[in-house]
Amino acid sequence: MSEEQRLRLKDLFRPRPIPTDRTVTTEADEAVPMGLRVTAGYAWRVLLIAAVIAGFIWIVIQLKLLVIPLMVGILVTALLWPAFEWMLRKRFPRWVAVAISIIGTLGIVAALITLVVWQIRQQLEEVQARSSQAVDDLQQFLMGDPLNLTQKQIDGYLEQAGGFFNDQADLLLNGALSVGTTAAHVVTGAVLALFILICLLADGGGIWKWTLRLFPRVARPAADAAARNGWATIVNYARTQLLVAAIDAVGIGLGAALLGVPLAIPVAVLVFLGSFVPIVGAVVTGALAVLLALVYNGPWIALAMLGVVLLVQQLEGHILQPILMGSAVKVHPLAVVLVVAGGSMIGGIPGALFAVPLAAFVNVAAVTVSTGSWRTGDLPDADLIWSTVPRQRRRSNR
């Protein structure tokens, strides 16, 4: 590398003063206050950035049949990466590590589906009987004091509620099946995600080296360091969410089973899946467990179920997770809620699922570049919103 190239690499991304001797001004420009000029300069630049982001989001939506399986494959790769990397360190052949990871994942998914189907079949008649009894009890309550509603009024309210829930179900289904409107699209997306997962595990390093060549030569060191820090953040995030999901699912599912709430295993599986949407997913699935207990077991069991949900979440968040995760730094709850809400508005359920890891990746990559830590290989010593990469002081204690 020549001296000139070395200097250009050293000064990359360093802010430089804007030369004012080349600026052409007129009398009209000089009449505009300086504050207004600066505001206008910021305004058109912000609008340009917003237009680029909007265009990127539009392209992603148009290519959702490819983007969503790609994101699923990347997220599952991050979930499997610690175990996969451990097998490589133990000198497992790569193809054996890939096979164990894929077969193990498919086995776990098949086992969960089998348990859910088994319990639904076992308790279907009981749930139907309890549902009918719950509807009768609710109707008697509405027709008695102090509401004293008539059967006609109740039927009208039920019709309105049914129409509302049908609309919401259609909206939820459209978000959940945003990869397509038919089962064939879902199956195609699942197969594509599995193929992407296999490719990333088998040759993720080679794929990244090829992608890195798309960047200008002088920008490759910064892009490489930013992407690697971002990937470490996603792996850390996935490991944290897997731990959170497992603790919440086991705790809430076991509590529901001990309290006699029906369908405890499906509830636990829903809690496990919902916990991958930080904060929001845990609240929604926990509320579903409490609602199920209220409908089928009465208010006292529902109150006990609420206590179980709150106890499990507090135990996981303040005791178990800090002990097991050590130096992992949690994401700020306000940032999580805003990002999840924005992601769900743009992409439905897939948007809510991928919003947090994507935002964390962008944040850490931007901090890596802006702080210049890519030059030395150190961890970024500044943060924007997220603090998802453990700091150097904490890492040294491992």
Side-chain angles (χ1 to χ4, degrees):
M1 180 182 295
S2 65
E3 183 65 23
E4 182 181 357
Q5 290 177 328
R6 188 177 292 106
L7 291 176
R8 288 176 59 189
L9 182 62
K10 182 178 179 181
D11 294 336
L12 186 64
F13 302 115
R14 179 180 297 174
R16 296 177 175 83
I18 300 176
T20 58
D21 55 338
R22 303 179 186 176
T23 305
V24 178
T25 59
T26 63
E27 293 182 0
D29 293 330
E30 294 177 353
V32 178
M34 180 57 68
L36 184 57
R37 293 189 209 175
V38 174
T39 302
Y42 274 105
W44 74 259
R45 288 173 172 85
V46 170
L47 289 176
L48 180 61
I49 294 173
V52 172
I53 295 175
F56 177 76
I57 292 175
W58 181 83
I59 294 175
V60 168
I61 292 175
Q62 299 304 311
L63 299 177
K64 58 189 175 185
L65 290 172
L66 298 177
V67 172
I68 292 180
L70 176 62
M71 295 296 292
V72 170
I74 292 174
L75 188 58
V76 176
T77 303
L79 286 171
L80 299 177
W81 193 255
F84 179 74
E85 200 174 30
W86 177 86
M87 286 187 285
L88 293 182
R89 288 198 303 267
K90 296 299 181 180
R91 300 188 181 280
F92 280 62
R94 180 173 285 269
W95 69 270
V96 173
V98 172
I100 292 175
S101 301
I102 300 298
I103 295 174
T105 302
L106 294 178
I108 292 173
V109 172
L112 291 177
I113 294 176
T114 301
L115 286 174
V116 169
V117 172
W118 171 78
Q119 188 166 59
I120 290 177
R121 286 182 176 180
Q122 290 291 112
Q123 299 185 347
L124 182 59
E125 294 183 0
E126 180 184 358
V127 169
Q128 289 176 341
R130 288 194 184 186
S131 300
S132 178
Q133 183 62 41
V135 170
D136 293 339
D137 292 342
L138 177 61
Q139 187 173 0
Q140 293 298 324
F141 171 76
L142 295 176
M143 296 177 66
D145 293 331
L147 298 177
N148 296 316
L149 298 178
T150 64
Q151 185 65 44
K152 184 177 181 180
Q153 290 175 320
I154 294 175
D155 292 339
Y157 291 140
L158 289 176
E159 184 177 354
Q160 294 178 6
F164 172 78
F165 283 114
N166 285 334
D167 293 339
Q168 298 304 311
D170 292 339
L171 179 63
L172 181 63
L173 187 62
N174 290 334
L177 303 181
S178 60
V179 295
T181 57
T182 65
H185 287 157
V186 177
V187 173
T188 303
V191 173
L192 182 57
L194 179 61
F195 178 73
I196 291 171
L197 173 62
I198 295 173
C199 292
L200 290 177
L201 291 177
D203 192 28
I207 295 173
W208 170 241
K209 289 179 181 178
W210 180 88
T211 305
L212 194 62
R213 295 193 188 100
L214 300 177
F215 291 87
R217 185 179 298 274
V218 294
R220 289 175 189 173
D224 185 50
R228 292 183 184 278
N229 283 344
W231 173 248
T233 298
I234 292 181
V235 172
N236 189 24
Y237 163 84
R239 182 178 60 176
T240 303
Q241 291 308 122
L242 182 63
L243 174 68
V244 169
I247 293 174
D248 288 347
V250 172
I252 294 176
L254 184 60
L258 293 176
L259 291 173
V261 179
L263 305 178
I265 294 178
V267 166
V269 173
L270 284 177
V271 170
F272 179 80
L273 296 176
S275 296
F276 283 95
V277 179
I279 298 179
V280 178
V283 171
V284 172
T285 53
L288 179 62
V290 174
L291 179 62
L292 194 65
L294 177 63
V295 171
Y296 295 109
N297 300 86
W300 294 111
I301 298 297
L303 186 62
M305 190 71 238
L306 176 62
V308 169
V309 171
L310 295 177
L311 178 63
V312 169
Q313 292 182 355
Q314 293 301 312
L315 183 66
E316 162 261 312
H318 297 286
I319 298 178
L320 294 179
Q321 189 178 142
I323 292 175
L324 297 177
M325 292 300 295
S327 60
V329 183
K330 295 181 67 176
V331 182
H332 196 283
L334 177 60
V336 171
V337 172
L338 294 178
V339 169
V340 169
S344 62
M345 292 172 62
I346 295 173
I349 293 179
L353 176 63
F354 302 131
V356 172
L358 181 60
F361 178 89
V362 171
N363 175 84
V364 173
V367 169
T368 301
V369 174
S370 63
T371 58
S373 61
W374 59 271
R375 296 187 179 94
T376 61
D378 296 332
L379 291 176
D381 57 357
D383 299 295
L384 299 178
I385 298 174
W386 265 269
S387 300
T388 45
V389 174
R391 302 183 188 279
Q392 186 69 32
R393 176 179 59 83
R394 296 180 176 181
R395 177 171 285 187
S396 63
N397 293 332
R398 291 183 176 181

